[in-house]
Amino acid sequence: MVQLLLVHLVAAAVAPLLVRFLGRSSFLVLALAPASAFAWLVSVGTDVRTGQGPQQQVTWVPGLGLELDFRLTTLSWVLALLVTGVGALVLLYCRWYFAAGDPTLWRFTSVFTAFAGAMLGLVLTDNFLVLYVFWELTTVFSYLLIGHNPASSTNRRAAMQALIVTTLGGLAMLIGIVALGVRHSYRISEVVAHPPALDAVTIAAVVLLLVGALTKSALVPFHFWLPGAMAAPTPVSAYLHAAAMVKAGVYLVALLAPAFAGAPGWHALTIGLGLFTMLVGGWRALRQHDIKLLLAYGTVSQLGFMVALAGLGTREGALAALALVVSHALFKSTLFLTVGVIDRSTGTRDLRELSAVGRRLLPLAVPAVLAALSMAGIPPLAGFVAKEAAIAAGLETATDSVPFPAAWGWLMTATLVAGSALTVAYSARFLWGAFATKPGMPPTPLRVPHPGFVLSPLLLGVGSLLVGLLAPLEHPWLMPYARQLVLGAPPPSLALWHGVTPALGLSILAIVAGLALFAWRDRVEHVQAAVPALVDGERAYARLMRGLDVGAVEVTARTQRGSLPFYLGTIILTFIALPGTVAVARGSVGAVRLWDSPAQAVIGAVIIAACVLVLLTDRRLASVMLVGVTGYGVSTLFIIHGAPDLAITQMLVETVSLVVFVLALRRLPTRFQRHVRSIRRRLRIVLGVAFGASVAAVTLVASAARHVVPVSIDFAEEAHSFGHGDNVVNVTLVDIRAWDTLGEVSVLVAAATGIASLIFVKTRNTRLSMASEQPIEATEPTRGTWLRGGRMLRRERRSVMFEVVTRLIFHVMIAVSLYVLFSGHNLPGGGFAGGLVAGLALVVRYLAGGRYELDEAAPFDAGLVVGIGLLIVVVAALAPLAFGGTILQSAAFDFTLPPWGEVHLVTSAIFDMGVYLIVFGMMLDIVRSLGTGIDRQIAAERHAEAEV
């Protein structure tokens, strides 16, 4: 099963490349990913039916007990078939939906395929934590798909709305998962097979899980995000909002029902909100003129229907719920795809503008009619079979008082019949609005679609008919799930005819009532206009978000004042008041040794003197240099303590910091404004002394508080045994604690991207062109030069000595950086230090030859370098999985490579290469922003002054 997910991952990764070479035909290739998964699922169907479905476990983080568990049950098998089968047909449909040359295809193909893989993983996993990961992946991918057109404010607003609502539910679900997993188990099959006792924690966990399900499946009061998501392209609506994403909530309810259907609050949330949503969605569908929105509100209604049945907790209810899930996926995806064809053929989705479409698009009208009849519950379609089973489940509850009193059972049955009548009414409204010839209206102009464009809705529509006709054959494949529940009698077989039964009579009543509502649609519209909206979730959401915005502005105005001293003062005061005060008042200090050697005392005195001089000087450059002295002093202490890796890194970071400060100081006054007798200055001195004393106290107390052997005591042996290196520091970073490094570089890349987006407003690639851009600085041409970019500088800014030295040492510095990178596994160094050295080499080129010389040294985009580095890090982390290992596991290879001789290569060095490129790219970003960017500003100002 992991292989199926990897197929989708690879397909998503290569999708942009396929689009580049194949254009729209790439959809046909990408459809093979879900199609192959569908074929495999069909091949194991017999095993699943007999309870011998495949299982798979992949060890993820052994130390934490995290495992990737996958298990195929009847419920997950049915959902997986829908996800893969409908997904393949929707991708096929996309080949003719999108226009040739659409510039967004590369992104859409990749995100859509990735979403299909995430949805497949969600229904296959047997671990709550992994389920949550896939759950949130579907949220993120759906956000990208709904916001497919970022230039449209409607798309952006709908995408953000869906993201916020579903993420809120996902966070609630995560809390429930953690509570349930800590108290019981994270393995889904164990929780379902051996339900825990319903104590307060378990009940709260179940309720939080249901909140996640209700938000995902768009139940009241979270229903409003689904109609808003119709701003997405129609294939997205047909897949995410008919067969995949919105089914995730129904799937979670059905998954938990065998274990928790009797929990307090379960029926109120599932049946109560489900039936209410069924009525609200059906009522709102009757007032829509956009046929896509009509289907959206119909989907909301059907989701409530499914959640209510899945949450009932009886065998007949479970069977009806699963049958309804299958029929809904078939008829609703057919209808959404139909809307896409109509929209592309006529240019409108407004039923007031559509007329005589059905007779001219007969190959499309036929499957649409079948799907709409199935949605309305008309025999012999699949929807009729599922609806009759649902009404029978309601009647069983009313007559047998299981699982709640008979009065509630009759109310549930009456609500199901009323909701079904609304379903018939809006199904008829859809067919009439989309295909009928309306009196007094001319036929709507249209273009006849390509036969391939109607193939997918045709197959799905015919599927609704076949599933209905073959309902007795469907029954044994769904029954294993129904048997998991213990309440209720064994349900009768799914079939088109059970004789004259109360369920049949109520089905006929619903059909007649629905047709009457449609026939009297004008009166219904008048009633709807007169009745105020009792449930307006979108307005409530808008008010909530407006309140959050106002509150955020008020809080920000009071706390984020734009004053760096205020921010630092708040942090320092908090530290002094909390840990500092506790350390002084209640901490115990052991024996204190001031220094181990006189050299430490001398270096400490130098650092203290530099700190004091920083307070006394009024020159910015001098203060920066003195701060640098403290950093170099600390690196010297590292050397004395025998920590060369830390010393090298500290020195390089300090050097980079000095460069950054000096480049930025060009736009600042040379002196500080000192107010010697200012009260604020005195307060800062007091605050600084108190903070220093607090840090010293916390350090002494923490040092004396250790009472166990530190875990790092074994790092030296572990670094050699399974890290295959002698440099403990570097092996710790790229192997022992590589997860920390992976997280840190990810944050580093995110921060670099954010900062770059603020500095480089138009583009991150600020490479200059000496051929096309007229230099502002140069005043006269120069004949000879050691650096090509140096000839663009003014004569007074050039230094022949500096250019010669730069020409000689640049390549040496690059070579040293590579040596530091590759030798870091056994000697002092590593990717971080090597990247800093390479970045400093760029700084030298910039200082010697200016911004043009920088682009000669690095003629590429810094963002590209950072991205490649992060890609290498991730690939190096995941690569061991392909060879049966664990994530971030290292392996060593010893071989002979002439003329170098014996070579010892550790795979974690590849991880370190990614770190090297990330740091190098960030250094290039820094020099281009604070170097090239400021140079341009200065040159532009001089040019403006010269023109004046």
Side-chain angles (χ1 to χ4, degrees), residues 660-726:
V660 170
F661 276 122
V662 171
L663 291 176
L665 286 179
R666 293 181 294 167
R667 304 297 288 172
L668 297 174
T670 57
R671 294 178 181 272
F672 294 107
Q673 292 183 354
R674 294 290 190 183
H675 302 284
V676 180
R677 298 183 180 181
S678 171
I679 296 178
R680 289 185 178 180
R681 179 176 173 82
R682 295 175 183 177
L683 287 175
R684 290 173 183 173
I685 292 174
V686 173
L687 196 62
V689 172
F691 180 66
S694 299
V695 171
V698 170
T699 303
L700 292 173
V701 171
S703 300
R706 184 185 295 277
H707 60 277
V708 296
V709 178
V711 295
S712 59
I713 199 71
D714 298 323
F715 277 13
E717 191 277 329
E718 292 173 349
H720 185 78
S721 60
F722 64 79
H724 310 286
D726 297 324

Side-chain angles (χ1 to χ4, degrees), residues 600-750:
Q600 294 175 337
V602 172
I603 296 170
V606 171
I607 294 174
I608 294 173
C611 292
V612 173
L613 291 174
V614 168
L615 301 177
L616 299 178
T617 183
D618 62 349
R619 292 182 175 273
R620 295 181 187 272
L621 182 59
S623 65
V624 168
M625 295 300 178
L626 289 170
V627 170
V629 170
T630 64
Y632 289 122
V634 171
S635 65
T636 307
L637 289 176
F638 287 149
I639 293 176
I640 294 175
H641 277 285
D645 267 286
L646 298 180
I648 291 173
T649 304
Q650 176 67 30
M651 286 184 179
L652 292 172
V653 170
E654 201 63 44
T655 303
V656 171
S657 300
L658 284 176
V659 171
V660 170
F661 276 122
V662 171
L663 291 176
L665 286 179
R666 293 181 294 167
R667 304 297 288 172
L668 297 174
T670 57
R671 294 178 181 272
F672 294 107
Q673 292 183 354
R674 294 290 190 183
H675 302 284
V676 180
R677 298 183 180 181
S678 171
I679 296 178
R680 289 185 178 180
R681 179 176 173 82
R682 295 175 183 177
L683 287 175
R684 290 173 183 173
I685 292 174
V686 173
L687 196 62
V689 172
F691 180 66
S694 299
V695 171
V698 170
T699 303
L700 292 173
V701 171
S703 300
R706 184 185 295 277
H707 60 277
V708 296
V709 178
V711 295
S712 59
I713 199 71
D714 298 323
F715 277 13
E717 191 277 329
E718 292 173 349
H720 185 78
S721 60
F722 64 79
H724 310 286
D726 297 324
N727 183 353
V728 179
V729 175
N730 183 260
V731 174
T732 299
L733 293 175
V734 300
D735 192 304
I736 299 175
R737 300 190 63 177
W739 276 107
D740 292 348
T741 305
L742 181 61
E744 288 162 2
V745 297
S746 301
V747 172
L748 197 65
V749 171

